[in-house]
Amino acid sequence: MIKRIFLTVAVIFLMMGCLRPKAPQTVPVRAEFVLATVCVIMLYDRGEPQVYEEVFARLREIENRMSFFMEGSDINRINRAAGIEPVRVPGDVFYVIERAVYIAELSGGAFDPTVGPLVALWDIGGATPPRIPPQEEIKKLLPLVNWQNVELDRENQSVFLKKPGMALDLGAIAKGYAADEAAEIIRNAGIPRAIIDLGGNNLLVGEKADGTLWRIGIQDPLDERGAYIGVLETRETSVVTSGVYERYFVYEGVHYHHLLSPSLGHPARSGLLSATIITGISMDADALSTAIFVMGHEKGIALVESLDGVEAIFILEDRSVLLTGGLTAGVDFFITNEDYRFF
Ligand code: AMP
Ligand code: MG
């Protein structure tokens, strides 16, 4: 009798175990290769699978629309119709192109989304073997690089590149936009804190659980990935770096990186190893970091100081580090690598 009661109780317990709704399996972090880079999303204590699914689906959608190389992407369609006809695009594509053109104007053309022909010619970090394009080839393409020849029709949501052979490349801004979109999904899901890291394009959402500031390492441009020169302490914001170490090749001992001067058609030699922008909107941080890298630290600082809520960290070729006015050395940013020093 006692045995039977015991068995019944055991069966009830077992059934309860089966009937109890299973707690959702949460994971603190997920990484996938999207947007031609490793994208890492950290949702910590609230890593719900469906949120990750939604975020990565959106990242793939953005890649499918904004990729330079992908056949059939909206950017690809616009480029194929250069000099022929305007192309209607989805609202997000129009929005990013509009912002890219605005930052091109703001930076005096240092950032220029029409660098496509030069990017394709150099193919730095691409499939073709490293080579220095002949100067005549570069010269032929320079007239095609000019953001002022992008015609935007807001009413029709269409984009027209006025000259045949022109090509848009959103490689310096699309990851930032994608990070903003990921953050939107994460916030709408009610998730209190997250790190969005799209190949070094960082966006911090919310506050850390213990209320302390986020700590972000700034990549050492001369060392392997993950090695940093110092640490930035900050509240919710976006931190994006453009540097010589991201994509490059070495040819006859010379280092050729992927950040091009739109006016010269060569990798920009601006005396910098990297430039980091800190600002709330990741799309702006992305485009501006490329812009100020190409501009160099003097013009770059002037641009950043003219903008509200934007700060920057410059690493110069002599390994000195410059901060804009809103950042204090030893308070917001600490150098931890003794090969580097403040300017
Ligand atoms: P980022 O890593 O954000 O600085 O972006 C670099 C990528 O943007 C390159 O791989 C090119 O595809 C593109 N790019 C290079 N130079 C420029 C430039 N001066 N303006 C806009 N895009 C650029
Ligand atoms: Mg950029």
Side-chain angles (χ1 to χ4, degrees):
M1 182 66 184
I2 287 177
K3 210 168 152 189
R4 183 172 296 167
I5 291 171
F6 182 77
L7 259 175
T8 312
V9 170
V11 168
I12 289 171
F13 268 119
L14 268 174
M15 282 176 61
M16 278 170 61
C18 294
L19 293 176
R20 201 187 312 131
K22 239 169 127 187
Q25 283 268 300
T26 64
V27 281
V29 57
R30 195 141 132 189
E32 282 185 31
F33 194 83
V34 205
L35 295 158
T37 191
V38 179
C39 295
V40 185
I41 308 289
M42 283 172 254
L43 301 180
Y44 298 101
D45 39 307
R46 287 276 309 275
E48 291 150 24
Q50 71 274 17
V51 181
Y52 285 118
E53 295 303 332
E54 208 183 318
V55 167
F56 281 106
R58 180 68 179 124
L59 298 186
R60 281 190 291 272
E61 181 174 59
I62 292 168
E63 179 176 26
N64 290 340
R65 291 179 181 176
M66 302 189 193
S67 165
F68 180 70
F69 293 104
M70 206 179 273
E71 203 64 34
S73 74
D74 292 289
I75 292 304
N76 194 262
R77 290 193 305 119
I78 293 169
N79 293 347
R80 281 172 183 275
I84 304 169
E85 60 185 359
V87 173
R88 272 175 75 94
V89 293
D92 53 0
V93 178
F94 191 85
Y95 173 71
V96 175
I97 295 173
E98 209 174 29
R99 194 68 180 169
V101 167
Y102 170 71
I103 292 183
E105 183 173 10
L106 199 67
S107 67
F111 169 92
D112 192 326
T114 66
V115 285
L118 291 172
V119 173
L121 179 69
W122 281 87
D123 194 31
I124 289 169
T128 51
R131 62 152 204 155
I132 317 301
Q135 188 58 31
E136 313 84 76
E137 282 184 46
I138 294 173
K139 247 176 98 180
K140 251 194 282 169
L141 297 183
L142 285 179
L144 300 176
V145 180
N146 186 351
W147 58 272
Q148 293 181 74
N149 289 327
V150 180
E151 210 169 77
L152 295 170
D153 180 342
R154 200 179 277 177
E155 207 165 302
N156 287 311
Q157 299 262 298
S158 69
V159 183
F160 178 48
L161 305 180
K162 288 193 202 163
K163 290 190 182 184
M166 280 181 76
L168 285 177
D169 173 14
L170 299 183
I173 188 170
K175 271 190 287 175
Y177 172 73
D180 291 327
E181 287 292 285
E184 172 89 359
I185 292 167
I186 290 165
R187 289 192 182 107
N188 286 343
I191 289 172
R193 67 190 65 88
I195 292 183
I196 298 159
D197 174 356
L198 311 184
N201 187 118
N202 294 296
L203 180 50
L204 310 165
V205 177
E207 306 240 311
K208 273 167 60 182
D210 62 4
T212 58
L213 296 171
W214 294 105
R215 291 167 57 82
I216 291 280
I218 301 299
Q219 173 69 40
D220 182 341
L222 302 175
D223 204 344
E224 64 191 39
R225 212 157 263 263
Y228 49 89
I229 69 141
V231 176
L232 174 77
E233 289 201 345
T234 178
R235 297 203 176 282
E236 181 169 40
T237 193
S238 179
V239 183
V240 181
T241 303
S242 288
V244 296
Y245 56 88
E246 282 172 84
R247 278 166 53 195
Y248 63 91
F249 63 69
V250 178
Y251 188 80
E252 293 180 346
V254 183
H255 185 283
Y256 295 87
H257 59 73
H258 72 318
L259 303 161
L260 302 176
S261 156
S263 56
L264 299 175
H266 289 268
R269 306 250 179 250
S270 58
L272 295 177
L273 294 174
S274 79
T276 298
I277 289 278
I278 301 134
T279 196
I281 298 170
S282 201
M283 174 174 60
D284 291 350
D286 192 2
L288 285 172
S289 72
T290 311
I292 64 167
F293 181 95
V294 173
M295 294 168 92
H297 73 272
E298 280 169 4
K299 285 187 183 161
I301 285 179
L303 172 61
V304 170
E305 299 291 16
S306 76
L307 303 171
D308 254 359
V310 184
E311 301 299 338
I313 301 169
F314 296 85
I315 305 179
L316 278 60
E317 277 172 352
D318 66 1
R319 300 193 195 195
S320 60
V321 179
L322 256 166
L323 308 177
T324 48
L327 296 176
T328 306
V331 177
D332 305 296
F333 183 72
F334 306 83
I335 292 179
T336 53
N337 179 331
E338 57 191 26
D339 294 338
Y340 293 82
R341 59 188 162 75
F342 285 112
F343 188 77

